[in-house]
Amino acid sequence: MRKKLGLVALGAASMLALAACSSGGSSGTSSTPEAANIRVWLNGTDTPQAARDYLKTTFETENPGSTLTIEEQSWTGLVDKLTTSLSGSDSPDVVEVGNTQAAAFTSAGAFEDLTDKYSDLGGDDLLPGFVTAGTYDGKFYAAPYYSGARLVFYKKDLMAASGLSVPTTLDQYVADGVTLAAANPGVSGIYFPGQDWYNALPYIWENGGEIATDDNGTWKAGFESSGAIAGLKQVQQVMTTASVAPKDGNETDPQVPFCAGTVAQLSAPSWVKGSILAAADATAPGCPDQEANLGVYALPGKNGGAAAVFAGGSNIAIAAKSAHPELAYSALKIMLSDDYQTILGKAGLVPAKKSLASTLGTDDVAKATAAAAANAKLTPASPKWADVEAAGILQDFFVKIAQGGDVTTLAADVDSKIDAILNG
């Protein structure tokens, strides 16, 4: 997803502690494991309640005497919390981890080795990019859980009032955002809070830039490249002329400003549709009355077609120090089952299995998701990438861009910081 901010870096001591986790139990296949309570950590509110209910009911039916407890975690500070919990004596059993964070834990031995369970969990039907994210040194540790591409949600009435139609290029999208903001004072033509680096990536990729590349084992950050600079200047244009979002804000709960009437267009994961149309009295209230006025399309690329957007989503794994690995595997199998994944698909989350893509439906969101997901990209496949996120470097970088800082100077500074972490 994600979609995930506010992480805390994995220091050397923490990584060593996690490495010790590899001495945990083995997820064997005993037919009668001792009854126990299994703790499943799910992050944020992305997993719908129907899926949570199905997991608990099915697990407890299949494992008489055992219970399953879902413990919801915040994405903010997750890496730090996982680092502590997975190396301690009170480890959860099954954990969700952002796809960009997975390498930090697979490389540290924090998860059970599932290599011999790969076929049983879905095999080559599993989303290949997320299989790669959950694999380290040739071994499979964290299965795909769900994926999602960012789409553009918009208010049909505001677009029509300005005489605009769905844009076909990235430049047109930016220009339309500026037009909408000028025509509607106090409204973001494109909602873009300063910390939201995930939504900045398409501008960089579409202009020919990269975040970081691996050159024979040495990582080189790429924000200083000409393509990245061109993309960053577009980001700054949007942040300063098309968005009234907080310059130091993050992307959490974007449905709130959307439903408050201060957003004309919003780039967000596909499942945010459910948040926008959620009951008005919910914890993070939506605006179901806007359903007929809610439009959606895939962010267009620089030369047309769908832009390369960040492939948000999560992996799911068994903690190496789970006290009940057999029962944990039972829960994991349910979460990768067709029935469970179908629930996710119907809620707008791209299922972990390619064969279940049709569960997304045939509405505009499903079509836009398919178009966006086909061209989506991941962050650099470095075990230390989570440290970059955790250090808040990218969040700080884009806040400064939102505040009008010199793009070239800021790019040189952030490249230096990223290089130091990835090659440290």
Side-chain angles (χ1 to χ4, degrees), residues 49 103 120 137 190 231 243 300 331 368 401 406 410 412:
Q49 188 61 46
D120 195 33
D137 198 22
I190 298 173
S243 177
I401 287 178
D406 181 74
L410 292 171

Side-chain angles (χ1 to χ4, degrees), residues 368-379:
T369 299
N375 205 26
K377 295 180 66 171
L378 298 174
T379 50

Side-chain angles (χ1 to χ4, degrees), residues 183-226:
N184 302 277
V187 172
S188 291
I190 298 173
Y191 182 72
F192 208 145
Q195 293 187 42
D196 189 5
W197 63 272
Y198 298 106
N199 271 317
L201 299 183
Y203 297 84
I204 294 165
W205 288 329
E206 286 299 315
N207 280 283
E210 293 291 342
I211 310 168
T213 54
D214 183 2
D215 182 12
N216 294 319
T218 299
W219 285 92
K220 176 65 177 175
F223 286 105
E224 292 174 89
S225 70
S226 59

